[in-house]
Amino acid sequence: MIVDCAVYHDGRRTEGPSDLSDALDTARAAGGFVWIGLHEPSPDEFDLVSEEFALHPLAVEDALKAHQRPKLEVYEDSLFMVLKPVVYEPEGDTVSSGEVMIFLGDSFVVTVRHGEGAPLAAVRRRLENEPEMLAKGPTAVLYAITDATVDHYLEVADELQTDLEELEAEVFSPERGGSRHTASRIYTFKRQVLEFRRATGPLTLPVARLAGTGAFGMAVPFVDAKARPYFQDVSDHLTRVNESVEGLDRLVSDILSAHLAQTSVRQNDDMRKISAWAAMAAVPTMLAGIYGMNFDHMPELHWVGSYPTLIVLMAALEVLLYRLFKSRDWL
């Protein structure tokens, strides 16, 4: 559905006509632009928008189906950018992602949002409170949405770092390190990092292209070249995010390896203790087994002191083995 539609002139909002074609004509006549926001539109709703603004069919298909990677595509009459905002849910320590599609053209911006995360109303309000920025046209909207998305990445990265420190403390805690659920928690955390990486990693090239850095020295159509320093700032923040994600991924892999190593060491300790107790049980079993055989001619079989002597011998051997295993930390 259409969430908001407004015409902006000199950084000021004016309510646009109900007809989308009239809204675009009004914006162009005033030297401004029209910004239309949609949330999970139906095909019929979006067909009206795509026809009025001459959006490319391939970009329209991507906007309707969603589940796209972050990307930047330039068509004849418009620019199409996909962002994946992420939301951190503290109740379950999980990361979920939505999608924001941005169509940028001559005097218009169309934003399509999928998912409940990262609503664009806050970005719109912030821009409307900064008329000088909003007066720069559709490029200002593209920058504001991209900047807000990447800044929120930094907040999510900090939250995940806190979760990782808690998980690390649990793994190396003598009391809780042996929990049967620890490995499951580590694997779940790794999946959250992977979900985060899917949102941040592919966005590097589109932002670098907007910033005009590296191999992307050419200007991007429909984007004001004066905005490059702003997008360069976004690119710097995104680089920090990607470095944090890489660090989180490496650390959680190391923690998983450490947990598995600890589990293996504990299992070896348990096996040593079991083996020590089995060895101690084997001595009296052996002696009792020998003297329990039904033979008439056995040493000391009919001696009156055989029984107490054998019991004392068993006890002495048990004490000897116990002290030996204890000294070697097997018990």
Side-chain angles (χ1 to χ4, degrees):
M1 63 178 180
I2 297 179
V3 178
D4 200 353
C5 175
V7 174
Y8 296 91
H9 174 60
D10 290 335
R12 305 294 179 181
R13 176 184 178 123
T14 59
E15 295 302 324
S18 57
D19 184 82
L20 297 181
S21 180
D22 293 341
L24 183 58
D25 292 339
T26 301
R28 287 174 174 169
F33 69 96
V34 59
W35 180 1
I36 298 176
L38 301 98
H39 179 236
E40 298 182 356
S42 66
D44 292 337
E45 290 174 333
F46 203 64
D47 283 344
L48 177 62
V49 176
S50 62
E51 290 175 4
E52 293 295 342
F53 294 96
L55 304 180
H56 197 280
L58 292 177
V60 170
E61 181 181 359
D62 289 345
L64 286 173
K65 290 184 177 180
H67 304 294
Q68 304 296 317
R69 299 174 75 250
K71 61 182 179 179
L72 176 66
E73 296 176 345
V74 178
Y75 297 101
E76 183 177 353
D77 297 319
S78 62
L79 177 148
F80 178 62
M81 187 169 185
V82 178
L83 301 171
K84 291 182 74 70
V86 296
V87 177
Y88 177 81
E89 299 173 0
E91 294 81 8
D93 294 338
T94 58
V95 173
S96 59
S97 62
E99 290 186 40
V100 172
M101 284 81 167
I102 306 171
F103 294 88
L104 202 73
D106 179 22
S107 304
F108 72 85
V109 179
V110 177
T111 55
V112 182
R113 182 168 61 88
H114 290 269
E116 297 300 325
L120 298 180
V123 176
R124 189 187 287 260
R125 286 195 300 269
R126 181 166 64 86
L127 277 175
E128 290 176 354
N129 291 328
E130 299 178 6
E132 292 184 359
M133 173 66 74
L134 195 56
K136 299 182 183 298
T139 301
V141 177
L142 178 64
Y143 161 73
I145 296 175
T146 307
D147 183 57
T149 300
V150 173
D151 284 348
H152 191 61
Y153 287 164
L154 290 170
E155 297 175 8
V156 173
D158 290 339
E159 295 286 354
L160 289 176
Q161 182 64 44
T162 300
D163 288 347
L164 181 63
E165 291 173 357
E166 295 175 357
L167 189 60
E168 188 176 19
E170 177 181 338
V171 169
F172 292 103
S173 170
E175 296 81 12
R176 303 173 60 191
S179 172
R180 71 176 71 179
H181 302 295
T182 302
S184 176
R185 285 197 59 197
I186 296 173
Y187 181 72
T188 301
F189 185 86
K190 194 170 181 65
R191 287 183 62 87
Q192 306 310 314
V193 174
L194 178 60
E195 180 71 17
F196 194 22
R197 173 180 281 179
R198 287 173 180 166
T200 64
L203 188 58
T204 302
L205 291 180
V207 173
R209 187 175 178 184
L210 291 171
T213 57
F216 307 102
M218 298 180 62
V220 179
F222 309 108
V223 177
D224 190 347
K226 295 180 180 179
R228 284 187 173 186
Y230 295 93
F231 286 108
Q232 178 60 53
D233 181 66
V234 175
S235 180
D236 293 342
H237 291 177
L238 185 60
T239 299
R240 286 176 51 197
V241 172
N242 284 325
E243 289 175 350
S244 297
V245 173
E246 290 293 333
L248 289 171
D249 189 56
R250 286 195 301 269
L251 283 174
V252 74
S253 296
D254 292 343
I255 289 175
L256 179 59
S257 299
H259 173 67
L260 294 176
Q262 284 183 330
T263 302
S264 178
V265 169
R266 282 193 294 269
Q267 289 176 342
N268 289 337
D269 289 341
D270 293 340
M271 289 302 299
R272 285 193 304 179
K273 292 178 181 178
I274 293 171
S275 299
W277 287 111
M280 293 173 62
V283 171
T285 301
M286 178 187 67
L287 294 176
I290 292 174
Y291 280 92
M293 292 186 293
N294 296 322
F295 292 103
D296 289 333
H297 303 288
M298 293 181 66
E300 313 300 342
L301 187 61
H302 299 288
W303 180 43
V304 177
S306 295
Y307 177 75
T309 302
L310 190 60
I311 295 299
V312 171
L313 178 61
M314 289 181 183
L317 291 174
E318 290 295 303
V319 171
L320 179 62
L321 288 175
Y322 180 83
R323 296 186 64 178
L324 176 63
F325 292 143
K326 193 70 175 177
S327 66
R328 296 187 177 181
D329 243 357
W330 282 34
L331 290 174

